[in-house]
Amino acid sequence: MKTNTIWIGLAWAVAVLAANAGEVFPAAGWEEAPNPLASEWAQKGGMLVAYMGPYPKSFNYYLDQNTMSAELFGQFYESLLSQHPLTLELEPLLAARCVLGDDRKTFTFHMNPLARWSDGQPVTAEDVRWTFETIMDPRNLTGPHKIGLARFDPPEVLDTMTIRFVAKEEHWQNLLTLAGVQVLPAHAFAGRDFNLQNFEFPVVSGPYRLGLIREGLQVTLERRPDWWAADLPRFQRVANFDLLRFRFFEDRQNAFEAFRKGELDVFPVYTAHVWANQTRGKNYDRNWIVKQEIENNKPVGFQGIALNLRRPPLDDPLVRQALAHLYHREKMNMTLMHGAYFLHRSYYEDLYDAATPCTNQFYAFDKDRARRLLAEAGWRANPATGLLSKDGRPLRLRYLSRGGTDDKFTAIFQEDLKDVGIELVVDKKDWAAWSKDMDDYHFDMTWAAWSAGLFKNPESMWYSEEADRASGQNITGYKNPAVDALIEEQRTEFDVQKRHAMVQRIDAQLTRDVPYILLWNKNNTRLLWWNKFGMPVAPLGKYGDERSAYGLWWYDPDAAADLDHARTTDRVLSPRPPRAIYAEPL
């Protein structure tokens, strides 16, 4: 874990979140400067073809909150303020500055006179007001995006370029919530059913616009030569590719095969046996494909088997604890994943280090313990069926699967469950059907993976009020008054270390309650790419993952020509220098 490094990186955040009345963001004396992560050798041009998962139900991130839609939408629409890539200090973007009122609950944003929509119209306060009201409209399926903005009254437009927000309550995240609002063009969307704005975005503010879509297969983004921020020093060496093409695959192995054929340029490897067994041979020996594990300070999320607490018998913590003891993570990690992962004992792994070890309960594989827990919960073997039963009901669970990589893990789990008298029925769905069932919380168990932020806010995933929100993040339906109280307490704690100490207490309670069967994770990014790109010293930035390549890398025509010639003549290319560690200072 990199907890100490992250605390240092968040030192500025403590000051911002506990800002004084009348303070201005960005801070006085701020000056435009080049992006410290971008390379001076970066050049514009070319195309990068990358893999995305199954085709999403929407490219509109406000309607479909997933990493794919977030990436696409983030290329189209910018936020009010941005953050420095190293210090996290707030910087101008669509807004030139924000002034904090004397009550510490009033935020006045002055729009950036340089900011323009792709049709040439200025970005105004009215666009911000319309975006807020659209997100908060109860008719719109904007789910989790309502949570942070619900802390504010409807904003007041003071003039064309000034808008004021007043918070209903103090909260450490208020400024960051407003700064991160991705503003939409009111004149382009007004009068339309927002719930249907999925794949057409004719007016944008960001560095790319939507190009050709091949439904279900791929989407191409086109770099905008008229992007309003293109000549600012911060952005001159980023957003370098003329075209970003994203190809969608239901099955990750099919995507990997496309990469090996040269149909994809870059490929993050999430599967240990692929990294260990399928990334060898001529392409790698001759350095045509670069294979590196890249480490930086990206936050660590978690993955696990989500258990739907809304349904019996999963509403019983004893049953959930028993299931956790029946998932043989240790065996799976060693036999299927080459021991490449650490096993989770926390939902917030990067809050712990050697000085602050995690003391949460660890759910080791233990059938005897599981049997005792199930017996304590009242489940007894039915001699006629061999299944455990209670009140005449067999212990039968349905696992909602997207198929593919989780099949082999589920098969092991099924056998161990069967051995103690539990039947697991696997219900395979494609991505669209799986997503619909998840929106409606129509599942018993399913595999879910969550990324993490530098600022830990447990509200959207663990607050009781979020358990019944349609299409929300509290997919397990978790409710616990003790956790609610801690969530409410941390809202007004502006010291990040004290607040994260509260999150550690929440974490300990979550581990006892078992809303997920926690699985495993890695701290670095395993990345493959065809050897035709330039990149900075820190190829994925300080806190980024493989998606950082889209903004920081560039197409190198000389390297591409060298690669083509090497493949034609069967020549070995010079190895790329290791890019494994993010080092400070750059």
Side-chain angles (χ1 to χ4, degrees), residues 24-173:
V24 178
F25 304 94
W30 180 89
E31 294 182 357
E32 187 76 47
N35 185 325
L37 292 176
S39 170
E40 63 177 317
W41 307 108
Q43 54 187 300
K44 306 296 184 186
M47 177 171 67
L48 182 139
V49 184
Y51 156 70
M52 281 194 174
Y55 198 72
K57 64 183 180 183
S58 177
F59 293 164
N60 186 339
Y61 183 53
Y62 283 132
L63 298 177
D64 189 9
Q65 192 177 41
N66 64 73
T67 55
M68 293 175 284
S69 297
E71 180 60 40
L72 296 174
F73 207 62
Q75 301 288 356
F76 304 149
Y77 295 109
E78 297 162 309
S79 56
L80 284 169
L81 299 175
S82 63
Q83 289 182 274
H84 189 278
L86 295 183
T87 68
L88 306 180
E89 181 180 1
L90 289 174
E91 299 186 313
L93 200 57
L94 295 182
R97 68 187 187 279
C98 173
V99 180
L100 181 63
D102 291 340
D103 58 359
R104 288 169 48 111
K105 294 195 293 186
T106 301
F107 303 84
T108 303
F109 285 86
H110 299 267
M111 302 305 292
N112 191 336
L114 298 176
R116 289 288 186 276
W117 297 109
S118 54
D119 61 1
Q121 294 197 36
V123 181
T124 68
E126 176 58 26
D127 293 313
V128 182
R129 183 203 63 79
W130 184 89
T131 300
F132 176 93
E133 293 187 352
T134 297
I135 294 170
M136 296 307 298
D137 189 330
R139 297 171 297 179
N140 292 336
L141 304 176
T142 48
H145 300 281
K146 289 180 165 69
I147 299 171
L149 294 182
R151 296 194 297 266
F152 298 89
D153 292 322
E156 178 185 3
V157 173
L158 303 182
D159 59 47
T160 303
M161 302 299 284
T162 313
I163 188 167
R164 176 183 295 153
F165 289 87
V166 179
K168 301 171 186 176
E169 58 182 292
E170 274 197 77
H171 195 298
W172 64 266
Q173 203 174 30

Side-chain angles (χ1 to χ4, degrees), residues 294-568:
I294 300 174
E295 185 173 332
N296 61 6
N297 297 320
K298 70 174 182 178
V300 180
F302 76 92
Q303 59 182 332
I305 307 300
L307 307 176
N308 192 345
L309 280 60
R310 304 172 185 88
R311 298 180 170 192
L314 297 175
D315 57 346
D316 187 337
L318 294 175
V319 173
R320 300 195 300 271
Q321 291 169 17
L323 293 173
H325 283 298
L326 290 169
Y327 205 95
H328 207 332
R329 299 185 294 167
E330 299 91 337
K331 174 182 177 180
M332 296 175 189
N333 187 34
M334 296 310 299
T335 62
L336 299 179
M337 300 182 292
H338 304 271
Y341 295 82
F342 68 85
L343 303 183
H344 279 305
R345 69 186 307 154
S346 167
Y347 294 83
Y348 299 94
E349 294 283 358
D350 53 15
L351 292 186
Y352 306 94
D353 60 12
T356 310
C358 181
T359 59
N360 294 350
Q361 178 178 348
F362 182 81
Y363 288 87
F365 181 74
D366 189 337
K367 282 188 181 179
D368 291 337
R369 175 66 177 153
R371 288 188 175 100
R372 291 195 297 270
L373 288 165
L374 292 166
E376 185 180 347
W379 294 90
R380 302 289 183 267
N382 183 328
T385 64
L387 294 179
L388 295 175
S389 64
K390 180 180 179 181
D391 301 327
R393 173 181 174 174
L395 187 40
R396 179 181 293 115
L397 298 168
R398 301 190 72 85
Y399 179 81
L400 180 61
S401 171
R402 296 188 296 261
T405 57
D406 65 344
D407 285 351
K408 55 184 178 293
F409 303 103
T410 307
I412 294 173
F413 189 35
Q414 269 183 308
E415 286 301 311
D416 288 319
L417 290 175
K418 181 180 178 181
D419 190 47
V420 300
I422 301 173
E423 181 181 2
L424 184 67
V425 178
V426 179
D427 190 7
K428 283 194 176 183
K429 301 283 185 79
D430 62 18
W431 175 266
W434 180 88
S435 296
K436 185 177 188 308
D437 280 347
M438 292 305 297
D439 286 344
D440 298 332
Y441 306 128
H442 183 60
F443 72 101
D444 286 342
M445 312 167 70
T446 195
W447 191 310
W450 297 93
S451 58
L454 289 167
F455 306 98
K456 313 302 182 186
N457 187 348
E459 186 165 348
S460 64
M461 186 171 289
W462 307 120
Y463 197 45
S464 293
E465 290 185 7
E466 296 304 313
D468 302 316
R469 187 189 293 275
S471 304
Q473 291 184 337
N474 189 348
I475 63 173
T476 63
Y478 181 81
K479 296 182 180 181
N480 185 311
V483 169
D484 289 344
L486 284 167
I487 288 173
E488 291 161 5
E489 183 181 356
Q490 62 88 43
R491 289 172 177 169
T492 54
E493 178 53 70
F494 288 85
D495 186 304
V496 68
Q497 297 197 46
K498 291 180 180 179
R499 192 172 65 252
H500 283 179
M502 296 178 192
V503 177
Q504 288 173 335
R505 292 167 60 193
I506 292 172
D507 186 39
Q509 185 63 54
L510 291 171
T511 308
R512 290 190 291 270
D513 290 340
V514 195
Y516 287 77
I517 301 172
L518 287 174
L519 298 180
W520 45 72
N521 216 323
K522 278 186 69 67
N523 292 327
N524 57 24
T525 302
R526 293 178 298 213
L527 201 61
L528 307 173
W529 67 91
W530 287 93
N531 197 350
K532 57 182 178 179
F533 299 105
M535 61 195 63
V537 173
L540 302 182
K542 183 174 182 178
Y543 301 113
D545 57 17
E546 65 272 7
R547 293 168 292 176
S548 297
Y550 311 153
L552 292 173
W553 294 18
W554 65 93
Y555 177 79
D556 185 333
D558 292 334
D562 205 20
L563 173 63
D564 287 342
H565 183 264
R567 295 180 71 184
T568 301

Side-chain angles (χ1 to χ4, degrees), residues 248-292:
F248 300 95
F249 292 86
E250 288 276 350
D251 184 87
R252 238 188 120 71
Q253 187 62 35
N254 290 340
F256 182 55
E257 292 303 322
F259 169 78
R260 294 207 287 195
K261 295 175 183 176
E263 297 171 6
L264 298 173
D265 293 322
V266 61
F267 190 79
V269 178
Y270 300 146
T271 309
H273 76 84
V274 171
W275 187 258
N277 299 322
Q278 300 181 43
T279 55
R280 294 177 290 192
K282 182 167 72 172
N283 288 341
Y284 304 91
D285 295 341
R286 286 162 173 72
N287 301 313
W288 301 345
I289 293 177
V290 183
K291 172 186 177 181
Q292 290 188 2

